[in-house]
Amino acid sequence: MKPITLIFLLLLAGVSSAGVEYREFKNPEQQEAYESLTSELRCLVCQNQTIADSNADLAADLRRQVYEMLEKGQSKDEVVKFMTERYGDFVLYKPPFKVKTLLLWLGPVLFFLIGALFVIVLIRRKQTSPKPSLSDEQRQKIRRLLDEGDRS
Amino acid sequence: MLKYLIPLIIFIVMGVFLAIGLKLNPTEIPSPFIGKPAPAFSAAKLDNPEQKLSPEDLKGKVWLFNVWASWCVSCRAEHPVLNQLAQQHAALIIGLNYKDARDDALNWLNQLGNPYDMSVSDQEGRIGIDWGVYGVPETFVVDKKGVIRHKHTGPVTPETVQQTLLPLIAKLQAE
């Protein structure tokens, strides 16, 4: 084996995810569904990992559950429904859009709008603010000072 | 005046949000099961695998469903509390022996005492998934109609028993 090939293979080995089980799929669609589901569902023990990435026992059980449901011909939506019925929306990395999660979804937009409004107001104020004007007395004083400067 | 008030208000609002955030416990995930019928199962009894138990058999009774395992450290901490609770005969205590070896589980009960009116085994964790179990120990309170009324995540402490479980059980027994 060429050294470069070996290095490449070693690099690949580092990329593989934690939860490795051998699963056989009937068709590529099923495999695709399995992979997308396991990377969308949260491991509830570790919380910040998907069940595909987690080594926790529960994650392995949930992967098996996903696999078995797909095997039985159930759709992705049915698997998601099964999981949320048991673990709540928290199990989803992509939370659904509803009243409870309104702030979560609209929060960033809201902050952006507030920021944009702030900037617009700031710019407007600068443009409309009157140019500093001098009184006649001040003008005469400047003129005087400038004249004095010319003479010396 | 307004110039100073606005930053102050923003600061207070942020402070309130952060304070709420600090108080929240991220490991406590609210159970979507509260107020819903207990998930059905038919599980082998721990001491006699020939016999099965299902939630149907417990209709008309208030029961606690305590998920435990001999490998679980927090369960060991919780065990004496359950033993005490069992002596009060406030409600049936059903154990779900979660992903455990049967011999280990039976040894554990022999050594530490058996607070359970009955334990069923869930060696593969399937019943656990059905009940939304994500960490052992967990304790559910089920009413006479078979509806889950409360879930406690983590070890049951004497305070939980006094402040939450016993009052709730008394209420459910009266229903």
Side-chain angles (χ1 to χ4, degrees):
Chain A
M1 198 185 291
K2 279 183 193 163
I4 188 85
T5 325
L6 189 68
I7 290 168
F8 182 67
L9 284 176
L10 283 173
L11 280 175
L12 268 186
V15 178
S16 72
S17 66
V20 189
E21 291 117 336
Y22 180 70
R23 300 253 197 252
E24 222 174 281
F25 295 93
K26 283 179 198 145
N27 50 52
E29 288 84 52
Q30 208 179 61
Q31 178 157 12
E32 194 273 325
Y34 176 80
E35 274 159 16
S36 79
L37 278 169
T38 53
S39 59
E40 276 167 24
L41 294 168
R42 186 191 301 272
C43 166
L44 292 111
V45 187
C46 8
Q47 302 205 346
N48 289 328
Q49 277 183 308
T50 64
I51 60 170
D53 289 335
S54 173
N55 268 327
D57 262 10
L58 181 72
D61 288 354
L62 292 178
R63 285 196 296 270
R64 180 193 63 200
Q65 183 74 33
V66 170
Y67 179 71
E68 285 174 358
M69 290 183 78
L70 291 172
E71 273 275 274
K72 279 188 219 149
Q74 285 175 284
S75 71
K76 274 172 79 171
D77 285 348
E78 281 171 308
V79 177
V80 168
K81 187 164 168 274
F82 176 92
M83 293 295 172
T84 48
E85 269 172 8
R86 279 154 187 80
Y87 295 103
D89 291 333
F90 188 70
V91 77
L92 303 174
Y93 258 109
K94 195 179 163 195
F97 189 84
K98 54 188 191 187
V99 177
K100 230 178 136 185
T101 57
L102 211 64
L103 199 64
L104 194 67
W105 280 101
L106 297 184
V109 182
L110 209 69
F111 277 115
F112 176 78
L113 287 180
I114 291 172
L117 204 73
F118 188 72
V119 169
I120 289 170
V121 167
L122 218 65
I123 291 171
R124 280 261 170 95
R125 197 181 281 176
K126 221 170 197 175
Q127 278 174 347
T128 54
S129 65
K131 297 253 164 58
S133 59
L134 299 168
S135 66
D136 286 345
E137 204 181 324
Q138 283 169 321
R139 268 178 227 280
Q140 282 166 8
K141 197 176 175 187
I142 290 170
R143 181 58 43 210
R144 254 200 328 271
L145 286 168
L146 284 172
D147 289 349
E148 273 172 31
D150 284 347
R151 259 175 267 145
S152 63
Chain B
M1 188 61 197
L2 199 71
K3 208 171 167 186
Y4 301 105
L5 214 59
I6 289 174
L8 183 70
I9 291 169
I10 292 175
F11 176 76
I12 290 172
V13 170
M14 276 172 69
V16 167
F17 270 99
L18 289 175
I20 294 171
L22 279 175
K23 285 256 170 70
L24 290 176
N25 179 0
T27 58
E28 209 163 296
I29 302 162
S31 173
F33 281 122
I34 309 298
K36 299 225 174 98
F41 59 79
S42 174
K45 291 180 185 173
L46 183 67
D47 51 2
N48 187 356
E50 306 287 300
Q51 286 179 0
K52 303 260 179 188
L53 176 82
S54 87
E56 279 293 305
D57 306 333
L58 298 164
K59 277 266 162 80
K61 287 176 183 135
V62 178
W63 50 292
L64 301 186
F65 197 43
N66 176 254
V67 186
W68 67 282
S70 65
W71 48 260
C72 146
V73 182
S74 307
C75 300
R76 193 172 276 267
E78 169 185 72
H79 204 80
V81 183
L82 288 181
N83 277 335
Q84 273 195 338
L85 180 63
Q87 279 172 8
Q88 301 190 30
H89 300 288
L92 285 179
I93 306 180
I94 308 295
L96 180 72
N97 185 226
Y98 180 71
K99 301 194 82 169
D100 207 350
R102 185 165 173 265
D103 287 345
D104 291 348
L106 289 171
N107 275 339
W108 153 289
L109 292 180
N110 274 334
Q111 279 169 19
L112 300 174
N114 185 355
Y116 303 106
D117 293 283
M118 199 179 295
S119 270
V120 292
S121 47
D122 180 25
Q123 284 180 351
E124 292 191 319
R126 285 172 198 275
I127 299 171
I129 289 183
D130 249 357
W131 281 66
V133 170
Y134 62 91
V136 204
E138 284 182 15
T139 308
F140 297 84
V141 183
V142 187
D143 72 8
K144 289 180 179 171
K145 287 179 190 143
V147 174
I148 296 178
R149 301 292 286 268
H150 179 72
K151 177 186 176 182
H152 180 81
T153 311
V156 169
T157 61
E159 291 80 56
T160 335
V161 170
Q162 291 304 328
Q163 287 163 15
T164 316
L165 293 182
L166 285 177
L168 179 63
I169 291 168
K171 188 184 146 218
L172 297 183
Q173 291 288 13
E175 271 180 9

